[in-house]
Amino acid sequence: GDSVTQMEGPVTLSEEAFLTINCTYTATGYPSLFWYVQYPGEGLQLLLKATKADDKGSNKGFEATYRKETTSFHLEKGSVQVSDSAVYFCALTRGYQKVTFGTGTKLQVIP
Amino acid sequence: DVKVTQSSRYLVKRTGEKVFLECVQDMDHENMFWYRQDPGLGLRLIYFSYDVKMKEKGDIPEGYSVSREKKERFSLILESASTNQTSMYLCATVTPLAPSSYNEQFFGPGTRLTVL
């Protein structure tokens, strides 16, 4: 079945550091890929998405590129802020409404 | 903007009680989902519904049931709460199926349930 693997956290960075959170997936066909973010005390919200190979999703300074050859969708940001502290979930869907989530990576940014 | 609301943010119940968690969405979406979120396990799908009175089991339905009497409301029921059901429960709805496989989910704020 489908699965998503993302790096274990927590990840602790200083403000303005470069962020990478790795995500790889297993799925047949051509899934759509997502990154969701969960701020403390809130539900998940969509951060960015990519629907086909080589697409780059971007939002709020975050980017991720859909790499079918390596089945990866790594999240990057050039300069993190304290306000980026949250839990980040990588996810995929193959269009049947059902979404498969990774286990989440907690990011803590310190001033 | 899609709005998904959940009836309680925090709930404390005792073992054996019947527990109702309610979710309401305002976008007329057919598809609604209940997940539980636990540290190290991510989100796991409990049940989902494609339409009124229609429901399907997810990955971990044991100990839960659901009700969808109206399109905008999807309830999760714990018939007899147990301590291992202490968790964060998240409701979600999804945009209608498009020709592409893109389906963004919209989440409620979550209900943190503690079973004593």
Side-chain angles (χ1 to χ4, degrees):
Chain A
D2 297 343
S3 67
V4 175
T5 302
Q6 57 182 109
M7 59 190 289
E8 296 259 346
V11 174
T12 302
L13 294 174
S14 297
E15 207 165 20
E16 299 184 1
F18 185 85
L19 168 71
T20 299
I21 301 178
N22 291 335
C23 171
T24 57
Y25 68 89
T26 301
T28 56
Y30 299 90
S32 293
L33 302 176
F34 307 86
W35 276 101
Y36 285 85
V37 59
Q38 184 179 35
Y39 298 104
E42 299 183 12
L44 279 70
Q45 56 186 273
L46 182 68
L47 179 60
L48 52 84
K49 64 186 185 290
T51 58
K52 59 183 187 297
D54 300 325
D55 267 3
K56 178 185 279 188
S58 61
N59 186 26
K60 298 182 181 180
F62 291 89
E63 292 183 341
T65 301
Y66 189 151
R67 302 283 189 203
K68 189 156 179 66
E69 64 276 14
T70 54
T71 61
S72 65
F73 193 54
H74 304 322
L75 182 68
E76 296 182 336
K77 187 175 185 184
S79 177
V80 293
Q81 305 300 313
V82 172
S83 57
D84 295 325
S85 297
V87 181
Y88 293 82
F89 292 89
C90 185
L92 70 83
T93 182
R94 289 191 288 116
Y96 301 110
Q97 309 293 338
K98 194 173 169 182
V99 178
T100 300
F101 290 88
T103 54
T105 301
K106 184 175 183 179
L107 170 66
Q108 183 177 12
V109 181
I110 53 178
Chain B
D1 281 352
V2 175
K3 192 165 179 64
V4 182
T5 57
Q6 295 184 227
S7 50
S8 305
R9 295 298 300 271
Y10 300 93
L11 209 52
V12 179
K13 296 291 182 181
R14 296 206 173 274
T15 303
E17 280 192 79
K18 190 169 186 176
V19 182
F20 293 86
L21 303 181
E22 293 211 314
C23 174
V24 178
Q25 52 104 353
D26 67 354
M27 283 300 291
D28 203 36
H29 288 169
E30 283 82 16
N31 307 298
M32 297 186 75
F33 304 78
W34 275 107
Y35 296 90
R36 63 177 284 176
Q37 180 183 5
D38 300 287
L41 298 176
L43 274 71
R44 293 180 291 167
L45 182 64
I46 305 171
Y47 267 97
F48 58 104
S49 171
Y50 287 160
D51 205 345
V52 175
K53 297 191 185 295
M54 184 280 174
K55 59 188 178 186
E56 285 200 26
K57 294 180 180 179
D59 300 319
I60 51 163
E62 296 78 19
Y64 303 94
S65 62
V66 291
S67 172
R68 184 103 182 261
E69 296 296 320
K70 293 185 178 180
K71 193 173 187 179
E72 68 271 17
R73 190 180 299 269
F74 190 35
S75 301
L76 180 69
I77 303 159
L78 287 65
E79 295 289 341
S80 178
S82 63
T83 55
N84 63 12
Q85 292 178 311
T86 292
S87 185
M88 170 71 88
Y89 290 88
L90 292 166
C91 174
T93 182
V94 69
T95 51
L97 187 61
S100 71
S101 59
Y102 162 58
N103 290 295
E104 173 185 352
Q105 293 209 339
F106 296 90
F107 285 83
T111 296
R112 185 164 294 282
L113 172 67
T114 302
V115 182
L116 302 175

